[in-house]
Amino acid sequence: PTDTALLEVTDLRAWYAESQALQGIGFRVNPGELVTLIGRNGAGKTTTLRSIMGIVKNRKGSIRFEGNELIGKRTYQIARQGIAYCPEERGIFASLSVRENLSLPPTLKSGGMSEDALFETFPNLRARASSRGTQLSGGEQQMLAIARILRNGCRFLLLDEPSEGLAPVVVKEIGAQIRRLKAQGYTILLVEQNLNFARSVADRHVVIEHGTVVDQLTNDELSADLNRVKTYLGV
Ligand code: ATP
């Protein structure tokens, strides 16, 4: 039922200059759910996250968060409603220490995690508190990137390919961290191309191809029939 969705995207279209990247995306995310957007390179997954966040401004259709329309809103207004976005490129300050990265910039919304709470959630980062961004491993950088967005009081996380470029053992660790965030009550929408990683964390999957949703399935449905999505991923 419509009234229980935390996020409801309907007929979302988006453009980069003259070029239409999204052709009418529709899906919903319920409170406490972890949903992935899967699909191959260029399908429109990142553009969907950037449209929700108002970074892609040329967008039409409807994006309702807790019933409020986000189309027409600016990125900082969307952040203040309680949505946090962790981009694929991670966005950490390479020349600053972990501790400095966790204090800048000022938060847009109160109620987020304190430095202590962040270090409790990501113990690896406490050990690296004085290390510069450049000195961190790929996995530590990803954890720092996620930790940074938790500084703002938010309940909905948009994560773009957290497993990207990481060794399998580190991917497992990030997966465990993300499941812990879900257990803490965060609702998560996650872009992934790594099917095994997606299966290890998600409740449900939304498959995107050529800027439209071509399939939606629960994690159990996916596990029962991997071939159902493999053609879309080109694997
Ligand atoms: P990837 O994982 O490779 O980012 P994706 O599914 O996230 O894939 P998008 O990045 O959303 O795909 O790209 C969707 C379409 O929009 C592609 O055709 C892409 O070439 C195009 N596109 C993405 N970013 C831009 C941009 N800044 N300017 C113009 N076109 C873009």
Side-chain angles (χ1 to χ4, degrees), residues 116-127:
D116 236 29
L118 289 170
F119 282 151
E120 238 158 78
T121 307
F122 301 95
N124 296 11
L125 293 182
R126 191 194 295 276

Side-chain angles (χ1 to χ4, degrees), residues 36-41 45 161-172 190-202 205 219 222 226 229 233 235:
T36 71
L37 300 179
I38 55 179
R40 68 179 89 197
N41 269 335
K45 308 177 300 292
E161 289 206 51
S163 75
E164 157 105 71
L166 303 179
V169 55
V170 185
V171 170
K172 278 211 176 108
L190 187 139
V191 160
E192 260 309 323
Q193 295 201 49
N194 179 335
L195 196 54
N196 286 329
F197 179 73
R199 288 175 59 206
S200 76
V201 294
H205 309 275
N219 206 33
L222 176 60
L226 286 176
V229 302
L233 293 172
V235 294

Side-chain angles (χ1 to χ4, degrees), residues 1-202:
T2 313
D3 50 331
T4 62
L6 183 62
L7 180 83
E8 182 156 34
V9 175
T10 314
D11 192 27
L12 176 63
R13 288 152 288 145
W15 290 261
Y16 292 107
E18 305 292 289
S19 156
Q20 187 169 359
L22 302 185
Q23 315 284 338
I25 296 268
F27 67 93
R28 53 167 50 213
V29 182
N30 298 314
E33 257 193 321
L34 199 159
V35 174
T36 71
L37 300 179
I38 55 179
R40 68 179 89 197
N41 269 335
K45 308 177 300 292
T46 297
T47 303
T48 302
L49 296 192
R50 289 164 53 91
S51 298
I52 294 168
M53 213 54 212
I55 298 165
V56 171
K57 293 186 175 57
N58 193 356
R59 62 216 207 282
K60 291 202 165 75
S62 170
I63 304 170
R64 286 189 171 271
F65 181 69
E66 294 182 317
N68 299 315
E69 182 58 57
L70 300 186
I71 299 253
K73 293 228 164 71
R74 309 278 290 265
T75 301
Y76 74 91
Q77 296 171 313
I78 293 166
R80 278 198 185 137
Q81 292 206 11
I83 306 182
Y85 171 55
C86 190
E88 192 174 354
E89 61 276 14
R90 295 174 183 150
I92 63 177
F93 298 115
S95 62
L96 300 183
S97 70
V98 166
R99 184 163 271 131
E100 287 164 337
N101 264 284
L102 293 178
S103 62
L104 289 169
T107 53
L108 279 165
K109 187 173 163 70
S110 62
M113 284 197 202
S114 65
E115 185 189 277
D116 236 29
L118 289 170
F119 282 151
E120 238 158 78
T121 307
F122 301 95
N124 296 11
L125 293 182
R126 191 194 295 276
R128 304 290 262 140
S130 318
S131 303
R132 313 226 159 262
T134 44
Q135 297 170 314
L136 303 178
S137 69
E140 288 166 342
Q141 287 182 21
Q142 184 60 59
M143 285 178 201
L144 179 57
I146 296 174
R148 289 190 71 228
I149 69 170
L150 301 175
R151 298 170 54 236
N152 280 300
C154 56
R155 52 183 299 219
F156 189 48
L157 310 180
L158 306 174
L159 307 180
D160 199 344
E161 289 206 51
S163 75
E164 157 105 71
L166 303 179
V169 55
V170 185
V171 170
K172 278 211 176 108
E173 235 175 272
I174 295 280
Q177 291 281 10
I178 290 172
R179 282 193 298 269
R180 246 170 272 148
L181 291 174
K182 175 181 151 76
Q184 286 177 30
Y186 289 98
T187 304
I188 300 172
L189 178 61
L190 187 139
V191 160
E192 260 309 323
Q193 295 201 49
N194 179 335
L195 196 54
N196 286 329
F197 179 73
R199 288 175 59 206
S200 76
V201 294

